[in-house]
Amino acid sequence: ADWTVNGAGRQVAGGRGEAVGLKLAFAGGLNDHPLRECGDIVKIDWGRLYLAAPADPATVLRYQKAEILRGSFCRDGSIDGCDDLLDPMTTLLFNWPVCAASHDFGRVGADPETLRLAVACDDIFAIEFLNEKLVDYWRKDGESFAAMLGRAFADYPGIERRAAEFDDRLLADCRKLGGENYAVLCAGAYRQAVAAHKLAADRRGRALFFSKENHSNGCIATVDITYPSAPLFLLAQPTLLKGMLLPILDYAETRRWKFPFAPHDLGTYPLANGQVYGGGERDELDQMPVEECGNLLLLAAALVKFADELEFARRYYPTLKQWADYLNEKGYDPENQLCTDDFAGHLAHNTNLSLKAILALAAFAQLAGRLGEDAAAVAVYRQSAETFAAHWRRDAWAGDHYKLAFDREDSWSQKYNLVWDRLLELELFPAEVAETELAWYRVRQERYGLPLDNRKSYTKLDWIIWSATLTGRDEDFQALLQPVARWLAETPSRVPLTDWYDTLDGRQVGFQARSVVGGVFIKLLADAAMRLKWRAGLAE
């Protein structure tokens, strides 16, 4: 029952029931209020936990104190004689109630006998978005929780088969393009990237996919969390990426968002009621104006290019244009501000952030062209991007690589944002820019990977794989992947996959269980034939 409350002192209640051919045991907090609590390392404090099994006479389910159930089972293998603990004043601290199941398999011969159980949580409401409580997406057509459980049991063999087929297909493609080490990395990243989201439906039935910034600040729908995670979803299910962008774009069009640049987040999970990071809705303090404008323009253009989401782009075109105009004015030489790597602090004249703005302008021009906007007006953004790209090559040049900041001569950084020039086929930068950077990176790796820049020895897992993809050459990709594979095997930090670690000792610096690891699938997304293959699979 502690899975449904935030603290051992909370009162809980539970019992048993039946529904749709199932036996159920359930537990939950007493007098709970859905979507009341928010934060990062905060447990859910509402909803009901269910243990479900087929309605078989040989299966017994109970809700009772753990010591009573375990004692009975140890004595005679049965929990059948244990009465349910229905006292609503029970607290976890003194009683520790649990849901339990026992099953008598009878005499088992050469053929195996099986029992399938399900553990499920009914959180009642999924997300609060702009002060409206949203339900889980599966509930959008009114299906009850009991009916969903019954359907899950009935559909399980087919789901299991399709899941195995998906695993085999995805890992085979990873091995084909990146080798066994890459497949291992992607296997570790896939479930985490998806699970760090909540899929909800609004009153129109739209799929809204909200990320949670795990093990960080608990923000919900953070734009620069969506950006690195996007390659997986662009490849495997673009509808989910659209579901990440819709809430941000809707919020940006409200009167509450008064700035000419894009928001950073929508609040603190699970309350998506307005930005809380930095200056929030109050002022420009610690905002990420160039970062988030660039992210949203690049991702919107990617949805148009890879998934033909023309109506989506047309609906939000005025807002996207506003952000393109902002980047046209402010993006080339960014003022002192944060970027997605905010743990590194503020930085003025950030060349990698400048790259994002330049590429986002060209991406917006590409998007506008697909929408049939006035050619002369579209050309303005493309021309700006081309002019800025030429200036960038001159201003960021350090003689044999490109600088961290325009005004820092003895500096360098990963230019992971440059990967969008290849992905979107923008053709702003000649191939030698990426080749020069990769040559520099390859001789500056530490035992466990390439540092983020010259200031510290830490790195970001997602950005290493993006940087490794810049040239499209397998030898460059493998050169940067190999230390990452060593880190996976040797890191002393045994936590859900971290994306921020030290390249010298392999220890986690911060962050874990975050959706950004979806970015490691960029190797697959960058391959045109692979994109077509997955798109054809979606169409089927």
Side-chain angles (χ1 to χ4, degrees):
D2 63 316
W3 286 8
T4 65
V5 291
N6 186 32
R10 287 274 279 114
Q11 295 177 340
V12 294
R16 288 181 292 146
E18 294 186 358
V20 198
L22 300 175
K23 290 184 175 181
L24 306 172
F26 59 89
L30 190 65
N31 300 319
D32 57 358
H33 301 280
L35 304 177
R36 179 173 57 183
E37 306 291 336
C38 66
D40 183 14
I41 306 176
V42 177
K43 290 169 62 180
I44 193 171
D45 206 30
W46 57 85
R48 293 291 178 268
L49 174 72
Y50 288 87
L51 179 63
D56 184 335
T59 305
V60 176
L61 268 63
R62 287 287 184 268
Y63 171 77
Q64 179 57 279
K65 292 181 182 180
E67 61 178 323
I68 293 177
L69 292 170
R70 290 168 181 157
S72 175
F73 191 80
C74 287
R75 283 192 304 273
D76 59 18
S78 170
I79 59 174
D80 196 26
C82 300
D83 294 327
D84 295 315
L85 181 66
L86 296 174
D87 180 5
M89 302 306 289
T90 295
T91 62
L92 286 173
L93 188 61
F94 297 109
N95 294 287
W96 210 255
V98 298
C99 297
S102 71
H103 180 79
D104 185 354
F105 284 99
R107 184 176 181 83
V108 180
D111 295 329
E113 299 288 340
T114 62
L115 172 69
R116 179 166 294 122
L117 302 172
V119 178
C121 181
D122 182 3
D123 55 5
I124 303 170
F125 289 103
I127 295 290
E128 187 170 293
F129 175 47
L130 298 182
N131 302 115
E132 178 184 354
K133 288 181 170 61
L134 308 183
V135 297
D136 291 287
Y137 185 76
W138 64 265
R139 244 184 180 125
K140 69 182 180 67
D141 297 322
E143 186 175 31
S144 69
F145 191 81
M148 181 276 291
L149 273 180
R151 183 164 53 85
F153 271 91
D155 293 349
Y156 188 85
I159 293 171
E160 186 177 39
R161 173 183 53 78
R162 294 197 303 274
E165 290 172 352
F166 180 90
D167 286 353
D168 291 344
R169 179 160 54 101
L170 181 61
L171 292 179
D173 288 343
C174 292
R175 292 187 184 96
K176 178 180 178 181
L177 291 190
E180 185 62 30
N181 286 335
Y182 182 58
V184 169
L185 174 62
C186 290
Y190 176 82
R191 182 180 180 276
Q192 177 173 305
V194 178
H197 294 82
K198 185 73 165 179
L199 183 60
D202 65 8
R203 64 180 64 185
R204 287 177 280 175
R206 297 184 306 173
L208 304 182
F209 203 43
F210 294 90
S211 66
K212 178 177 181 290
E213 198 165 344
N214 291 331
H215 211 266
S216 177
N217 61 6
C219 274
I220 186 171
T222 303
V223 174
D224 56 292
I225 293 295
T226 295
Y227 175 70
S229 76
L232 169 60
F233 301 102
L234 281 168
L235 178 77
Q237 187 49 270
T239 298
L240 292 178
L241 178 58
K242 183 171 72 171
M244 295 183 224
L245 301 189
L246 285 171
I248 284 286
L249 289 161
D250 285 349
Y251 170 61
E253 291 189 345
T254 67
R255 287 180 291 179
R256 289 172 51 181
W257 188 252
K258 59 189 177 183
F259 304 108
F261 50 80
H264 167 274
D265 64 84
L266 285 178
T268 304
Y269 191 93
L271 306 180
N273 292 327
Q275 180 170 309
V276 295
Y277 187 89
E281 298 176 346
R282 304 179 306 277
D283 53 52
E284 297 189 21
L285 179 67
D286 290 339
Q287 301 274 15
M288 297 187 189
V290 173
E291 173 72 35
E292 309 303 17
C293 287
N295 290 340
L296 287 164
L297 289 173
L298 287 165
L299 295 180
L303 279 173
V304 169
K305 184 174 180 62
F306 300 146
D308 290 330
E309 286 285 356
L310 296 176
E311 292 309 310
F312 162 80
R314 185 171 287 110
R315 161 65 183 82
Y316 295 102
Y317 183 79
T319 299
L320 297 173
K321 182 179 182 300
Q322 175 183 320
W323 296 337
D325 290 337
Y326 183 88
L327 292 183
N328 205 14
E329 179 183 354
K330 300 279 192 178
Y332 173 69
D333 189 8
E335 298 169 346
N336 191 38
Q337 61 191 259
L338 296 170
C339 70
T340 183
D341 305 316
D342 54 353
F343 50 81
H346 290 70
L347 179 65
H349 318 299
N350 184 335
T351 59
N352 190 43
L353 191 56
S354 176
L355 276 176
K356 179 170 290 182
I358 296 168
L359 293 162
L361 283 170
F364 176 74
Q366 184 184 84
L367 176 152
R370 285 286 308 275
L371 293 180
E373 294 294 320
D374 180 74
V378 170
V380 170
Y381 299 99
R382 176 67 194 191
Q383 184 59 51
S384 288
E386 291 176 355
T387 300
F388 290 155
H391 290 171
W392 189 94
R393 292 178 62 200
R394 177 196 66 203
D395 297 340
W397 184 238
D400 53 2
H401 69 281
Y402 294 92
K403 294 177 281 189
L404 163 70
F406 290 127
D407 61 342
R408 298 195 181 192
E409 294 302 321
D410 297 321
S411 67
W412 63 272
S413 64
Q414 291 189 42
K415 305 301 188 300
Y416 52 82
N417 287 321
L418 183 60
V419 74
W420 290 100
D421 201 29
R422 283 190 61 224
L423 288 177
L424 297 178
E425 301 175 296
L426 299 174
E427 299 181 348
L428 283 177
F429 293 89
E432 56 260 30
V433 173
E435 292 165 358
T436 298
E437 282 293 281
L438 259 295
W440 180 268
Y441 300 160
R442 289 179 65 166
V443 298
R444 274 156 186 83
Q445 296 191 95
E446 302 294 349
R447 177 172 178 80
Y448 295 116
L450 176 68
L452 186 62
D453 56 51
N454 63 277
R455 294 174 293 178
K456 300 281 186 178
S457 59
Y458 58 56
T459 193
K460 288 284 271 87
L461 171 64
D462 42 348
W463 300 150
I464 288 182
I465 304 303
W466 285 36
S467 294
T469 311
L470 288 178
T471 64
R473 295 176 178 174
D474 186 62
E475 61 264 33
D476 288 331
F477 183 81
Q478 295 300 330
L480 268 62
L481 176 65
Q482 194 276 331
V484 172
R486 181 185 301 121
W487 166 74
L488 279 173
E490 298 179 2
T491 174
S493 301
R494 310 313 294 181
V495 299
L497 189 57
T498 179
D499 55 287
W500 184 20
Y501 68 91
D502 192 272
T503 59
L504 297 177
D505 60 18
R507 294 185 182 276
Q508 173 192 26
V509 176
F511 304 154
Q512 63 191 47
R514 301 206 307 165
S515 65
V516 302
V517 297
V520 304
F521 289 88
I522 201 163
K523 175 71 169 174
L524 272 63
L525 185 68
D527 186 274
M530 193 64 70
R531 290 198 305 269
L532 291 173
K533 174 184 175 182
W534 278 82
R535 184 166 182 178
L538 286 172
E540 294 172 0

